[in-house]
Amino acid sequence: GMMYTTMVLVVSFSAYVFSQVASLTKFGLLTAFVLLLGLVVEFLITPAALVLLHRHGALRNPVPAASDPHLSPSQAEVDGGVRE
């Protein structure tokens, strides 16, 4: 989904390269480049950053699963599942 959408937008904005107006040509190239860069970041950098954050404990699940053995059902309902 996202890959196809980005590729369609890149091709569409790249059509501005054939414009006689220099600013439109630059706009098309810059926009296509930024869209491609965003796609690369989404597929490569974001997952890597999430893995690193998870390893360092920066990502925590604030609401535990219903099957969490550390919380009784009544305790999870009272405090919203937040542990101290």
Side-chain angles (χ1 to χ4, degrees), residues 26-61:
K26 292 176 184 176
F27 171 75
L29 286 173
L30 181 63
T31 305
F33 174 73
V34 169
L35 285 167
L36 283 174
L37 184 64
L39 188 66
V40 168
V41 167
E42 185 68 31
F43 285 128
L44 297 178
I45 306 299
T46 302
L50 288 173
V51 168
L52 288 175
L53 288 171
H54 181 69
R55 284 185 186 166
H56 292 290
L59 297 178
R60 286 186 239 152
N61 188 4

